[in-house]
Amino acid sequence: MTVVLRELLGDSTKLSVLEELIERWGEPLTVDEIASISEVPVDVARDHLRELEAIGIVVASDEKYTLNKRDERAKALQILENEEYVRIAENSLKS
């Protein structure tokens, strides 16, 4: 999915933050964890998470963030993530 989103949106720190939430679907993460994993400064990760929360794709609880499982866009991102893994696996079998 990383490849698909990067092809569409280009490299961005917001995309890096979003990728970590997609890859860890349902796993609540703190701002510090997300920043560390995505290699984004904490203040930048916090700003992106606030923006993503404001549009409803991310939810926060007890200072931990996850994708909003009720949001159709989040569900679509999860489907893309799964499809990307299948595509990569199929390509590696062909090699």
Side-chain angles (χ1 to χ4, degrees), residues 16-75:
S16 296
V17 167
L18 187 56
E19 283 174 343
E20 298 312 324
L21 292 169
I22 295 166
E23 290 177 12
R24 290 162 181 79
W25 180 266
E27 180 183 340
L29 299 169
T30 66
V31 173
D32 290 337
E33 291 169 328
I34 294 167
S36 176
I37 295 166
S38 61
E39 299 178 354
V40 171
V42 173
D43 58 329
V44 172
R46 183 177 291 109
D47 289 345
H48 290 320
L49 288 164
R50 285 180 182 151
E51 290 174 20
L52 293 167
E53 185 179 16
I55 64 170
I57 199 165
V58 168
V59 293
S61 177
D62 298 324
E63 298 185 26
K64 292 189 177 190
Y65 293 84
T66 60
L67 285 178
N68 183 353
K69 294 179 183 179
R70 296 180 183 163
D71 186 273
E72 294 301 319
R73 296 164 297 180
K75 291 176 188 176

